[in-house]
Amino acid sequence: MSSLLPPQAYIHTLRCPCDGMLAIDGDKACCQSCHRELKISTEGILQFVIASELDAPTAQELVGHTYDLSQPQIEKMVLAERNSLWKNYYSRNRMNTMQHLSRYLDRVNYEQVFFLGAGTGREIEYLMSFRKLDTVFCSDLSYTSLRMIPTRLAAYDLKVGLFTSDLQRCPIANRNIPIVIVNALHHTRDMHAVIESLLAQQYDNLFLVEPTDNFLIRLLARYGIARRREYSGVIPGRLELPRLKEMSRKHHYQVDLRTHWAFPRDYYRKIFGSSMRFQNVFFPLLNGISALTDIVNFGNFSIVHLHKQNAGHAAGSNRPG
């Protein structure tokens, strides 16, 4: 059974947007430098996000992920997602990614992990299919999404801390705890600027899973196939591997990565319908293609481990074991 940690248990790992230290005072966290006050909800969620301070694209993203849900509605939504006809497709599409991410995480020593852009916690649940986690600090722009995490992770032996934050203003002060970001950076205004900001702060280990750019994707995007406006209204970006490597060299990070191909669920449904039979052929074929094209880092998704040179982590090649 998971347990929800109060902000008092992890406030020392965070910082105010002004870089000042935070201290808990009743139902808020107060900055000891600028005296800013951050609310703590009755559900124990520390709130860094203030809508009026967000840029226009981020505010639009927040609006698209904000709902007024009761606890019974949250439980119903999580259950419906797990029982969905397309759960099997999404799981198989995502499991290969999370398995590679798990192997990269095996290379560092940790008891705690930050998940930024954690959404409703679905990716954390998939990751726990491959490894046990002890303590996760989950953050997302959307307060609504974070409210679903305790329900989603309720059955696991796991300690959970929750706080809202904007990826463009990372509030993490502790540089030793690994940071994991899965399918969230591409929703920011400039994902490469966010990555460079994180690198400049010299966190020991950053793990990223993001849609990736290549010449085929750019070609398809011209015809409106590879890049579409999402339901939140945001047109997501894609990770550019040459640019990532250049930024990493600048900030003295080593880059280990794998690429693979993922196939959008709605396209699959249009081509194959709802039959599960085709998945038994489609996914082994897709995984085989991914294994071949990964030799030259050619795929539409990347799993990346950025680690500070000489930081404590297990030695290895650019492939997880």
Side-chain angles (χ1 to χ4, degrees), residues 32-90:
Q32 298 180 7
S33 296
C34 71
H35 308 295
R36 182 189 188 97
E37 295 183 349
L38 305 172
K39 294 180 180 179
I40 301 172
S41 73
T42 56
E43 296 164 301
I45 301 176
L46 176 59
Q47 300 177 62
F48 282 93
V49 173
I50 299 175
S52 61
E53 296 181 352
L54 301 176
D55 60 48
T58 307
Q60 182 181 8
E61 179 80 7
L62 178 60
V63 170
H65 290 85
T66 299
Y67 312 94
D68 185 15
L69 298 174
S70 65
Q71 183 58 33
Q73 287 175 317
I74 289 174
E75 293 171 0
K76 184 177 180 179
M77 288 180 67
V78 171
L79 181 61
E81 186 178 271
R82 285 177 173 158
N83 293 335
S84 169
L85 174 66
W86 287 97
K87 171 182 176 293
N88 188 39
Y89 177 86
Y90 190 94

Side-chain angles (χ1 to χ4, degrees), residues 157-198:
D157 182 15
L158 183 67
K159 294 185 282 293
V160 181
L162 302 175
F163 60 99
T164 65
S165 71
D166 179 2
L167 280 167
Q168 298 171 108
R169 304 175 72 182
C170 179
I172 299 174
N174 188 305
R175 291 175 171 80
N176 305 121
I177 301 175
I179 296 175
V180 178
I181 307 175
V182 179
N183 287 345
L185 285 168
H186 64 285
H187 291 286
T188 61
R189 180 174 54 182
D190 184 345
M191 65 189 301
H192 297 92
V194 175
I195 294 172
E196 181 145 33
S197 173
L198 293 170

Side-chain angles (χ1 to χ4, degrees), residues 18 40 55 80 101 107 129 136 139 185 187 196 263 302 313:
C18 78
I40 301 172
D55 60 48
L101 175 60
R107 301 167 70 181
S129 300
V136 294
S139 179
L185 285 168
H187 291 286
E196 181 145 33
F263 201 80
S302 291
H313 62 275

Side-chain angles (χ1 to χ4, degrees), residues 103-104 107 254-256 305 307 313-321:
R103 290 171 177 170
Y104 275 142
R107 301 167 70 181
Q254 183 171 329
V255 182
D256 297 340
H305 178 198
H307 47 96
H313 62 275
S317 68
N318 68 342
R319 290 288 184 270

